[in-house]
Amino acid sequence: STMFLVGLSGGIASGKSTVVAVLRELGCAVIDADVIARQVVQPHSKAHQQILQHFGTEILLENGEINREALGNIIFSQPEKRRLLNSITHPEILKEMLKQVLKYFVLGYRYVILDIPLLFETRGLTRFMKYTVLVYCDPPTQLARLMKRSGLGAAEAEARISSQLPLDEKRKWATHVIDNSGDRESTRRQVLRLHARLEDSLDFLWARLAVGTAVAGLGGMVFLLLRHFIS
């Protein structure tokens, strides 16, 4: 049995959560970078303490957790603050993602999907992916969905969309595209076809750990992979 990594991304209101839901129904291993991002900034964590040092206590909720909306408003309008936040959180996120990848690796999964919203913006992680998948929708549909979902006006919604790399640009870098411009059933059929292709693929990232060397080699593998992911 062999395993490889698949990077999944999209854009705001492009419908990535719909695709992830179908993949989970199929029993795929999905690592959600957004969920991990919330976990690594919980109170008393290393990242939580560093964020408070740089952004102040005014971004805290009453329970001590970080107010994501307040912090988001800061980094949305100040690119240098966004880069600072990323420098704090990204190493911690990568460490946790690596732990989960190794878990699925040892369990013998055929492939693991890394759900990373900014996969194509950062580009650093794409070299570890055998395939990259973009959840796409056409610009008018993306705008309409965001306005309906968030209650934003057209100007505000367009500003949020324009803060990200355009989906048409991301298409150039993706090895597979799921077009979510249509209805849910059309999207589901595309995901089923993609899953079938990935299951039949002969490509792999690593050979699965042999039972006899799993324990002995795991420490060395963690060290080497951490160096690659964090460098």
Side-chain angles (χ1 to χ4, degrees), residues 28-45:
C28 298
V30 180
I31 298 174
D32 189 329
D34 268 350
V35 171
I36 294 174
R38 294 186 181 94
Q39 294 172 345
V40 300
V41 298
Q42 288 299 303
H44 309 299
S45 67

Side-chain angles (χ1 to χ4, degrees), residues 194-226:
L194 174 63
H195 176 61
R197 291 183 64 181
L198 294 175
E199 283 289 303
D200 290 338
S201 173
L202 296 178
D203 295 309
F204 61 93
L205 178 61
W206 307 292
R208 186 186 174 190
L209 287 177
V211 175
T213 60
V215 176
L218 190 55
M221 175 171 283
V222 169
F223 174 74
L224 291 173
L225 290 174
L226 278 174

Side-chain angles (χ1 to χ4, degrees), residues 6-10 114-127 129 131-133 170:
V6 179
L8 175 69
S9 193
L114 301 182
D115 177 0
I116 306 174
L118 298 180
L119 176 66
F120 295 104
E121 282 85 347
T122 56
R123 298 298 305 280
L125 286 177
T126 55
R127 67 177 183 266
M129 310 300 163
Y131 303 107
T132 54
V133 180
K170 294 180 181 182

